[in-house]
Amino acid sequence: MATDTVVVSDLEKPIETHGIERVSPQARAHVRIFDNFTMWLSANLVISTVALGGLAIPIFKLGFWDGLAIIVLFNILGVLPVAFFSTLGPKLGLRQMTISRFSFGWVGAIIMALFNVAACIGWSAVNVIVGGQLVSALSKGAIPAWVGIVVIAALTTVISIYGYKYVHRYERFAWIPMAIIFALLAIIGGPKTTIVPTPAMSLAWVAGLLSFGGAIYGFATGWTSYAADYNVNQPEETSAARVFWLTFLGVTIPCILLETLGLALSTATAYAGKEGGDLLAAVLQPLGGFGTFLLALLTLSVVANNIPNDYSLGLTMQVLGKGFQKINRAIWTLIGAVIYIAIAIPIAGNYSSALDNFLLLVAYWLGPWAVILFLEDRLFRRGKYNVDDWNTAGKLPIGWAALISMALGLVGVYLGASQLLFTGPLAQILGGADVGFELGVVFACIAYLILRPWS
C-alpha cells in the first residue's frame, strides 16, 4: 500500500490532520450521504446569490421571463460539472485539484492550482467585504467595516481549520435560518414586484441574454474546482448517482430560487436603485428592529459561503509540491485568511462591483479545465485510475496535451468573453454577446480530443 495513503480515519481526531493524501477505502467514516446536499445548499443560500439575479434587468437589460429562463438554463449547465466531479471523491479518495494531476501532470497541476488559489483568495475577500459593509450599515457606522471583516473571517477560519468533519457539521444546519429569512423576504417583497416585459428581439437583447448567462454560469460552476474535496471520506461504494443528484440539487435549488428572488425584487419601484445588502435591508425595513435582526443573521451566510473557499485553499496549496505538502493544510488556511483580510480591509471603503466582475472574468478558466478532466475520465481512462500514482511525478502523464488544450481554451475565452471589465474581439463583433464560456469549452474540447491520443 502506498505510504502517502491515509489508513486510519482522520474524522476521529479533534482537528483534521491530513491534507491531499489519498483516503483509503478502509478509512472512510463519513456515511451521511445527504451531506452532499446540505453542504452546497448552505454555501449558496447567501446574499450574493440574490444580488446576482438582480443584475438581469438593470445591467443586462432583460425582462422578467427571459431573465428567469437564463437563470434556470445556465445554472443547470454550470452545476453539471460540479455534480459530476463530486462523484470522484468517494470513488478515488482524492481531492479535486489533486485529481487534475492525472490530466495535466505534475507541473500542469501546479499551474491549475495557482489559478484556484487566486480564485479562493479573491472570492473570500469579496465575501467578507460585503459582510463587513453590512455590519457597518446595520450599526449605522458604530462598528467599522474592518471589524465585521475580521469577525466573519475569524469564524470562517476556525471552522475551516478544524476541518472536514466540522465543515459538514456547520453546513448541515446553516441553511435553515437562511431559508426562513429568504422566504420572509419573498413574502414581503413579492407583492411589490412587477413583470417587466421581454424586450423586442435584437442583437443587443441577445448580447444581454448571453452575457447574463455567462455570469450565472460562472457563479454556479465556480464550485467545480472544490467538488470532490467534501466527500473523499465517504465509502468507496457510495452510489455515484445519489452523490451526483444530491450535489446537483444542493447547488441548483438555492441558486435558481435566490437569483429569481433577486430578479423579482429588482422590478419593484419601491426598491429602485437598491442592490445587494441595501436591497434586502429595504425589503425588511417594515419589520423595524426585527428586520434589522434578520439582516444581521444574514451576514452569517457569508461564513457558510466562504468555508469552501478557505478549506479548499489549504488543500490546493499542497498541490504546489511536496515542500508545500509538508506544511499542514490548516496552516495554509490560516495564511490564506491573513492574506484575504489584508486585501479586504484597505479596499473595503472604495469597494465596487468591479471586483465581482473581475472574479467572474477569472472564472472562465473553469470551463476548459473541466472539459479536459471530463474527457480524461470518461473517454480516455473510462473511469479507471491507478490511484497510488497520485503523488509520484514520474508515474503521472507529462500533461502537455492538457496544457496546450487549456491554452487554446483560454484563447477561445479571450475571443468571446464579454463582461463589464473586458469584451473580446469576437464578442464586440457580436454586439457584446458573451460566448467566452462556450468558445473556451469548445476550443479545449477539440484540442484535447486531437492531442490526447498522441501524448
Side-chain angles (χ1 to χ4, degrees), residues 38 43 73 87 157 174 187 189 207 240 292 315 318 322 351 378 394 410 447:
T38 54
L73 175 62
T87 66
T157 303
I187 292 170
T292 302
L315 297 168
Q318 292 189 333
K322 292 191 175 181
Y351 173 78
R378 293 289 86 199
L410 293 178

Side-chain angles (χ1 to χ4, degrees), residues 372-383:
I372 289 169
L373 264 65
F374 177 80
L375 290 174
E376 180 69 29
D377 180 89
R378 293 289 86 199
L379 186 61
F380 297 108
R381 292 185 181 270
R382 300 187 184 275

Side-chain angles (χ1 to χ4, degrees), residues 123-383:
W123 279 116
S124 293
V126 167
N127 291 335
V128 294
I129 288 173
V130 172
Q133 289 180 332
L134 194 52
V135 168
S136 180
L138 286 170
S139 66
K140 302 188 186 309
I143 302 175
W146 71 264
V147 174
I149 288 171
V150 171
V151 170
I152 292 171
L155 289 172
T156 306
T157 303
V158 167
I159 297 168
S160 301
I161 283 177
Y162 270 85
Y164 185 100
K165 178 171 66 175
Y166 293 93
V167 166
H168 276 290
R169 282 186 178 179
Y170 184 85
E171 305 285 19
R172 197 175 294 154
F173 303 105
W175 66 273
I176 297 173
M178 302 308 157
I180 294 171
I181 296 171
F182 284 121
L184 284 173
L185 284 163
I187 292 170
I188 296 170
K192 299 180 181 179
T193 62
T194 57
I195 300 297
V196 176
T198 300
M201 185 175 293
S202 64
L203 185 61
W205 175 70
V206 173
L209 280 177
L210 291 174
S211 297
F212 182 54
I216 296 294
Y217 180 93
F219 187 85
T221 209
W223 303 115
T224 303
S225 58
Y226 309 163
D229 292 353
Y230 299 95
N231 53 20
V232 292
N233 285 294
Q234 292 184 336
E236 193 173 26
E237 64 275 11
T238 301
S239 168
R242 293 183 67 189
V243 171
F244 179 94
W245 286 112
L246 287 170
T247 303
F248 180 84
L249 294 173
V251 182
T252 53
I253 288 175
C255 283
I256 290 175
L257 290 181
L258 264 61
E259 287 162 10
T260 301
L261 175 62
L263 170 68
L265 293 177
S266 70
T267 68
T269 55
Y271 313 131
K274 304 288 186 180
E275 59 179 290
D278 290 337
L279 173 62
L280 301 184
V283 177
L284 292 172
Q285 188 175 15
L287 298 182
F290 182 62
T292 302
F293 170 72
L294 293 179
L295 203 58
L297 285 180
L298 275 180
T299 62
L300 294 177
S301 71
V302 176
V303 176
N305 186 249
N306 250 9
I307 283 174
N309 295 324
D310 287 19
Y311 179 73
S312 290
L313 169 64
L315 297 168
T316 303
M317 285 298 299
Q318 292 189 333
V319 180
L320 298 180
K322 292 191 175 181
F324 290 86
Q325 191 181 337
K326 291 178 181 178
I327 300 175
N328 190 285
R329 57 106 209 142
I331 301 299
W332 288 123
T333 293
L334 181 60
I335 292 173
V338 171
I339 292 173
Y340 75 72
I341 290 172
I343 293 173
I345 290 177
I347 66 174
N350 299 310
Y351 173 78
S352 71
S353 59
L355 186 54
D356 297 65
N357 292 308
F358 169 74
L359 288 166
L360 288 173
L361 201 61
V362 169
Y364 282 103
W365 73 276
L366 288 168
W369 176 81
V371 77
I372 289 169
L373 264 65
F374 177 80
L375 290 174
E376 180 69 29
D377 180 89
R378 293 289 86 199
L379 186 61
F380 297 108
R381 292 185 181 270
R382 300 187 184 275

Side-chain angles (χ1 to χ4, degrees), residues 372 402-412:
I372 289 169
L403 283 172
I404 293 175
S405 300
M406 183 72 194
L408 291 174
L410 293 178
V411 170

